[in-house]
Amino acid sequence: MIIKNIGELVGIVPEGVLRKQGAEMAETGVLKDAWLAIEDGKIKAFGKMADLVGHDVPGSAPSVIPGGDSSVIPGSDSSVIPGGDSSVIPGTDRESIDAQGGMVLPAFCDSHTHIVYAGSRDGEFLDKINGLSYEEIAARGGGILNSSDLLHGTSEDDLFEQSMVRVREMMRKGTGAIEIKSGYGLNPADELKMLRVIRRIKDSVPALVRVTFLGAHAIGRGYTHEGYVQAVVDMMPQAAEYADFVDVFCDEGFFTVEDTSRILEAGAACGLRPKIHANELAVSGGVQVGVKHGALSVDHLERTTDVEIEVLRGSETMPTMLPGSSFFLGIPFGRAKEFIGAGLGVALASDYNPGSSPSGDMRFVMALGCIRMRLTPVQALNAVTLNSAYAMGLSDITGSITPGKRADLLLTRPGWTLTKLPYLYQTPFLRTVFLGGRALE
Ligand code: NIG
Ligand code: FE
């Protein structure tokens, strides 16, 4: 299949680049007036329309990619078209889609969500409007424990159906890879129920799904603090049958650095790499403990100091910020620009959950990144695609326009540019979402 007459093909990244850091965050490959070929669900090749028209093969001259501004320039050969078999690419027997000048970009990657939950917490929304903080709502039995009670009373099938409504909404809005956490079970039976539901979602959708065991999200009802930490450690082998990652809410009033260390060690013994909730409510030590245990990402970071920036430098850990939570809770936004200035990468994710970020709209996340964190549209794009894919261990197979990666692509309506995405942040922009090369119904 070939998509022709693409106004701008945005998000081209050379093969082998798994994340962007520092000044690289301001770069992405852009090809104007382009085509892109998909084969076996993957990006096969792309190039300039001028090299397609009237030829059987795309021109041999690399029609590379105007330089100049910050929005540009991957490797010199990025418009040409690995894959050898170029003579078939323009073939008329292939299905062809006319993009009519629309933009094509990588589908969004959302590396931090809690979208498996039961019922609704709109009552807490009213408490919040009336002035209660997230911590105060939690202390009154709202918050995570409220979701845990609702989940306990919901059948597995019902939980799956309720959660699938959100997953479908996210895919329709352009998300092609999703990390989903447990953490509203808070006892062995209900945590496993959540993990089975996440597995079922993974097996049912064309989006890529990564599974995280967040048993340590809050102290389960009926447990002492110490007893619950031990219970999480004890759940690990069974959780690891479903999970790719282990997460701990390492924050004031939830789990300490010592708890976190214990749980991460138990996770490592079962082959689970950490992703950590850190520094949402206070400077928690979560960044340090995460980096020490080789976390793939440390997430939230609303209250981070220069010390944490220093700790992250030179690590394999992706700092991940969740501007939807900052927006909804009215807490500080992460210091993304300073992280980038210090040479770090930044990923942005939705944190979609019923208590602190009731939206999985990654275009809105991108807009908050630009409007509230002052990222450029290219920086924000890298943060919601390649870097967020990295934060799920998926950036070798999705998150950019790179031959050989999955064709997880967004085709916009005509007239859209990268800058307009976060700027006109409420205007419908999508024409077609392709996941694994197939148009989403
Ligand atoms: O990432 N911070 C901890 N967990 C979620 C909130 C979960 C909830 O309130 O249900 C978060 O913000
Ligand atoms: Fe979260």
Side-chain angles (χ1 to χ4, degrees):
M1 188 184 73
I2 184 162
I3 307 174
K4 294 181 185 173
N5 299 318
I6 299 168
E8 275 191 10
L9 180 61
V10 176
I12 302 166
V13 172
E15 203 186 329
V17 175
L18 298 183
R19 62 172 165 173
K20 301 236 176 185
Q21 303 190 88
E24 300 157 359
M25 291 282 298
E27 297 168 6
T28 197
V30 179
L31 196 58
K32 288 189 193 301
D33 303 317
W35 57 267
L36 180 142
I38 298 172
E39 193 173 271
D40 298 330
K42 293 182 175 162
I43 298 169
K44 165 94 169 158
F46 51 83
K48 283 194 84 78
M49 284 306 291
D51 299 325
L52 191 59
V53 175
H55 295 277
D56 242 13
V57 292
S60 55
S63 45
V64 174
I65 301 155
D69 66 15
S70 63
S71 70
V72 187
I73 314 135
S76 61
D77 60 352
S78 69
S79 71
V80 200
I81 309 160
D85 195 12
S86 52
S87 63
V88 298
I89 288 166
T92 48
D93 55 336
R94 297 219 156 189
E95 187 189 343
S96 125
I97 293 172
D98 186 348
Q100 299 173 332
M103 174 172 59
V104 169
L105 67 156
F108 301 126
C109 299
D110 192 347
S111 62
H112 183 136
T113 84
H114 310 251
I115 50 89
V116 171
Y117 63 83
S120 169
R121 287 176 26 207
D122 52 309
E124 292 174 22
F125 181 54
L126 299 177
D127 294 340
K128 175 180 137 63
I129 290 168
N130 289 324
L132 294 187
S133 70
Y134 183 78
E135 292 91 327
E136 286 164 338
I137 291 169
R140 289 169 137 213
I144 296 166
L145 286 179
N146 186 1
S147 282
S148 157
D149 294 341
L150 289 165
L151 186 134
H152 184 71
T154 302
S155 75
E156 202 161 316
D157 284 346
D158 195 5
L159 185 61
F160 172 75
E161 292 303 338
Q162 291 185 33
S163 304
M164 278 295 288
V165 172
R166 290 181 277 274
V167 176
R168 284 190 207 101
E169 179 206 341
M170 292 169 75
M171 293 190 298
R172 272 201 307 274
K173 286 184 169 172
T175 298
I178 312 171
E179 183 259 16
I180 308 176
K181 300 175 194 292
S182 74
Y184 294 123
L186 306 183
N187 63 56
D190 288 334
E191 280 296 309
L192 285 171
K193 174 162 100 177
M194 282 193 82
L195 289 167
R196 284 193 300 272
V197 166
I198 302 171
R199 161 77 63 82
R200 198 164 148 198
I201 292 169
K202 180 177 181 169
D203 293 342
S204 314
V205 299
L208 291 166
V209 172
R210 280 292 173 271
V211 187
T212 298
F213 174 52
L214 175 59
H217 197 194
I219 305 298
R221 287 209 194 275
Y223 289 92
T224 62
H225 188 107
E226 170 55 30
Y228 189 67
V229 172
Q230 184 61 47
V232 171
V233 167
D234 294 341
M235 283 181 232
M236 201 66 69
Q238 269 192 292
E241 290 174 26
Y242 300 91
D244 303 294
F245 307 111
V246 58
D247 193 346
V248 178
F249 189 9
C250 181
D251 221 320
E252 197 169 83
F254 288 84
F255 294 88
T256 66
V257 168
E258 293 70 36
D259 301 334
T260 305
S261 272
R262 266 186 73 195
I263 292 164
L264 297 190
E265 275 161 28
C270 297
L272 300 182
R273 197 163 172 196
K275 285 167 69 69
I276 297 290
H277 277 74
N279 296 26
E280 176 183 6
L281 308 173
V283 179
S284 70
V287 171
Q288 285 81 346
V289 70
V291 169
K292 187 171 148 215
H293 286 83
L296 188 54
S297 70
V298 287
D299 300 27
H300 272 289
L301 310 178
E302 288 89 348
R303 312 204 190 252
T304 299
T305 71
D306 293 347
V307 177
E308 284 79 31
I309 291 180
E310 226 20 71
V311 166
L312 283 159
R313 277 159 58 121
S315 76
E316 300 292 307
T317 304
M318 178 60 70
T320 300
M321 298 178 184
L322 311 170
S325 308
S326 300
F327 171 74
F328 188 79
L329 295 178
I331 63 176
F333 284 81
R335 299 160 60 197
K337 274 204 114 50
E338 288 155 273
F339 276 57
I340 293 168
L344 293 168
V346 168
L348 297 179
S350 74
D351 199 18
Y352 195 173
N353 76 74
S356 68
S357 184
S359 161
D361 185 329
M362 287 298 284
R363 198 255 294 239
F364 184 56
V365 167
M366 206 182 155
L368 289 173
C370 294
I371 297 162
R372 303 302 306 273
M373 303 164 98
R374 299 200 161 275
L375 297 178
T376 67
V378 173
Q379 289 172 327
L381 178 76
N382 282 319
V384 297
T385 57
L386 187 72
N387 281 2
S388 195
Y390 177 94
M392 293 183 268
L394 292 175
S395 61
D396 55 338
I397 58 170
T398 192
S400 64
I401 306 294
T402 306
K405 281 195 178 179
R406 270 171 52 109
D408 297 332
L409 306 169
L410 309 183
L411 168 59
T412 74
R413 300 175 183 194
W416 282 84
T417 61
L418 184 60
T419 302
K420 285 183 184 172
L421 272 194
Y423 168 58
L424 302 175
Y425 61 93
Q426 290 270 280
T427 308
F429 75 105
L430 268 174
R431 186 177 140 195
T432 311
V433 178
F434 296 92
L435 298 183
R438 284 175 178 255
L440 200 69
E441 303 284 305

